[in-house]
Amino acid sequence: MADHTPSAAQRIVIENCAVATVDGQDTEYATGHVVVAGNRIESVGPGPAPQGLEGVVRRVDGTGHLVTPGLVNTHHHFYQWLTRGLAQEANLFEWLVALYPIWSRIDEDMVYTAARGSLGMMVRGGVTTAMDHHYVFPRGAGDLLGAEIRAAQEMGVRFNPTRGSMDRGSSDGGLPPDFAVETTEGALAATEEAVDTYHDASFDSMLRVGVAPCSPFSVSTDLLKEAAVLARRKGVRLHTHGSETAEEEQFCKELFGMGPTDYLESTGWLGDDVWMAHCVHMTDSDIAAFARTGTGVAHCPSSNARLGAGIARVPDMLNSGVPVGLGVDGTASNETGELHTELRNTLLVNRLGPHAHKALSVRKALRLGTYGGAQVLGRQQEIGSLEPGKLADLVLWKLDGMAHSSIEDPVAALVLGAPAPVTLSLVNGRPVVEDNRLTTVDEDDIARTARAEAQRLARIAQDAG
């Protein structure tokens, strides 16, 4: 491993800015500094940075800005970047029925292009750690997971992809076409190969792979059980969808004689190495089971609202000790593609629930989008807060412009205000955004190629249909 001691590292100094550390005490400084040494945070504190620092290659005057940990996205489907704005008035099952025939025609070039669009939108909006749940593998489509990984590496973002799978096609009562699903044995073999090829368990890792059968209604019980065994044998995390809709609850009770949480627990799918997306329809006993086992939740408020799924019981989960992070979800059900939007929406949506105005505060929302996400991904020792020794993933938000300058509380400005421009975003100590533009890729090229590939996918799907 490279030497990351301060004496061997070049330093970046950010000072004169408000600081929200999101540490265990929610420490904040009205005017403070952050010093980055190599790929680590060296110091965080009030006032200017320490004098006499050696190897300073850059000083950033953060006047009018707030620095926070980088945002951590805990649930996404990158390929959906090419199918945004469709099935606008559908619930989840109707939406899936409308879109699976299109998604089943994706190929490697499309997935690479979609990943660039999905990642670019998130990174430009303050995401420093991205996750993706890719589970559609049509026969002959190419190296789809590899395409996503290549896009993430080019952008410089920290990436936690999960190798998804489905083995229940339309002939077995599932929703996707048969040619877009795998055999149980084929899915398990391909998943193990992905872990062996790509997973890096080191502290500094830019790439960690998880195991992620799609959902209780699109995979067999055998696949769920064997995937859990595989993940634990390999020491990687498990991810799936859970309790997203009332229809899913009914499906599980009719097919398995129990609700989604009890069914997933019966297959080995609760534990502190597991997190599930959505978890909208959770009973008290479901929440207690998640708390007891340390199972995490990826809360996706915009997608849940877009599909009319309901309001997840996030305050109850947090009060019970369930780890909760935020997710963009696929951009076919959250067309903004930004995690910053979820900071605001998680606060607003949850205040519509039974806890009303006391449901979440702006600081709890920021915690969900940073430390909470790191906790859900099992990376809270490395990222998610601004503390010495942690990896240098941070964002400097500009709050002195017209949209934010009259909001006195900088955290409230970030969470409740309009999307704040990103003056600087560092991942592993390296700039990925400068002055609200991506530094490592061409945004205009992403837009052009995404449009072309979306049109190509639509043509192919129409010709096949």
Side-chain angles (χ1 to χ4, degrees):
M1 184 180 295
D3 184 1
H4 298 289
T5 58
S7 61
Q10 294 182 323
R11 289 179 170 86
I12 298 174
V13 175
I14 303 170
E15 51 193 348
N16 305 322
C17 54
V19 181
T21 68
V22 199
D23 64 9
Q25 294 74 44
D26 275 329
T27 305
E28 295 182 15
Y29 304 107
T31 303
H33 70 271
V34 179
V35 177
V36 170
N39 74 337
R40 306 289 176 92
I41 296 170
E42 183 178 39
S43 67
V44 183
Q51 296 295 313
L53 293 173
E54 297 180 357
V56 175
V57 297
R58 182 173 184 181
R59 284 188 177 270
V60 179
D61 181 0
T63 301
H65 289 71
L66 169 69
V67 64
T68 71
L71 302 182
V72 179
N73 182 32
T74 62
H75 185 66
H76 212 308
H77 308 294
F78 289 174
Y79 70 90
Q80 293 180 13
W81 188 259
L82 303 183
T83 58
R84 295 192 292 167
L86 305 179
Q88 296 173 19
E89 297 177 4
N91 66 25
L92 175 65
F93 277 25
E94 294 166 344
W95 178 82
L96 289 172
V97 168
L99 291 174
Y100 265 132
I102 303 174
W103 294 339
S104 63
R105 303 294 171 178
I106 58 175
D107 61 27
E108 184 174 341
D109 288 342
M110 292 176 190
V111 170
Y112 170 70
T113 298
R116 293 177 78 215
S118 294
L119 285 164
M121 198 68 189
M122 284 189 292
V123 171
R124 197 180 68 179
V127 167
T128 55
T129 296
M131 174 272 175
D132 192 58
H133 183 190
H134 189 91
Y135 54 83
V136 182
F137 291 91
R139 293 167 200 159
D143 183 5
L144 305 188
L145 188 67
E148 294 191 326
I149 291 170
R150 177 160 50 98
Q153 290 173 334
E154 290 170 357
M155 202 158 294
V157 66
R158 205 176 298 281
F159 192 30
N160 281 53
T162 58
R163 207 292 180 179
S165 53
M166 297 184 292
D167 64 349
R168 189 193 294 272
S170 56
S171 64
D172 292 323
L175 297 177
D178 286 346
F179 70 85
V181 304
E182 302 170 282
T183 65
T184 305
E185 297 76 14
L188 291 167
T191 300
E192 183 164 7
E193 181 181 6
V195 174
D196 290 343
T197 302
Y198 295 115
H199 182 65
D200 175 7
S202 70
F203 184 95
D204 307 82
S205 175
M206 294 291 290
L207 182 60
R208 294 218 182 138
V209 179
V211 174
C214 181
S215 67
F217 55 84
S218 61
V219 305
S220 66
T221 300
D222 284 345
L223 180 53
L224 278 175
K225 288 181 176 179
E226 292 303 318
V229 172
L230 168 63
R232 287 168 181 139
R233 174 164 54 85
K234 292 291 182 178
V236 299
R237 298 181 75 77
L238 287 152
H239 181 60
T240 192
H241 298 89
S243 299
E244 184 173 0
T245 64
E247 291 84 0
E248 180 187 338
E249 177 90 14
Q250 181 181 354
F251 174 90
C252 287
K253 286 183 176 178
E254 289 177 356
L255 199 62
F256 310 120
M258 62 187 93
T261 297
D262 289 339
Y263 171 63
L264 287 164
E265 184 165 28
S266 76
T267 61
W269 270 78
L270 293 189
D272 60 6
D273 56 352
V274 179
W275 84 103
M276 298 189 196
H278 303 293
C279 298
V280 175
H281 296 273
M282 298 275 281
T283 65
D284 289 346
S285 63
D286 294 338
I287 292 174
F290 272 51
R292 168 174 49 83
T293 58
T295 305
V297 171
H299 175 46
C300 306
S302 294
S303 177
N304 294 343
R306 161 80 152 83
L307 297 174
I311 301 173
R313 297 173 58 187
V314 171
D316 295 330
M317 295 178 194
L318 294 174
N319 289 338
S320 298
V322 176
V324 181
L326 296 182
V328 171
D329 202 9
T331 48
S333 64
N334 179 3
E335 278 77 1
T336 70
E338 287 191 303
L339 194 70
H340 171 267
T341 308
E342 304 311 290
L343 298 178
R344 188 172 194 264
N345 285 350
T346 192
L347 184 146
L348 298 181
V349 167
N350 281 282
R351 287 188 177 189
L352 294 174
H355 297 275
H357 59 284
K358 295 184 178 180
L360 291 175
S361 67
V362 294
R363 284 162 176 80
K364 284 186 178 178
L366 178 59
R367 177 169 287 275
L368 290 176
T370 53
Y371 186 85
Q375 188 178 21
V376 163
L377 297 182
R379 305 202 68 170
Q380 67 270 27
Q381 301 302 318
E382 307 148 42
I383 59 174
S385 60
L386 301 179
E387 300 180 76
K390 282 198 166 184
L391 296 169
D393 295 3
L394 57 84
V395 180
L396 188 65
W397 308 90
K398 180 176 173 60
L399 298 178
D400 60 356
M402 181 177 67
H404 303 92
S405 64
S406 59
I407 305 177
E408 182 176 1
D409 177 355
V411 177
L414 176 65
V415 173
L416 292 175
V422 173
T423 292
L424 177 66
S425 179
L426 301 181
V427 178
N428 219 39
R430 298 185 179 93
V432 293
V433 178
E434 297 258 15
D435 295 325
N436 218 39
R437 295 285 292 185
L438 300 170
T439 64
T440 58
V441 294
D442 184 336
E443 293 184 19
D444 295 333
D445 181 62
I446 290 174
R448 284 192 301 270
T449 55
R451 179 65 175 169
E453 289 294 81
Q455 292 174 337
R456 183 168 73 90
L457 175 58
R459 287 195 302 270
I460 292 172
Q462 184 176 24
D463 292 344

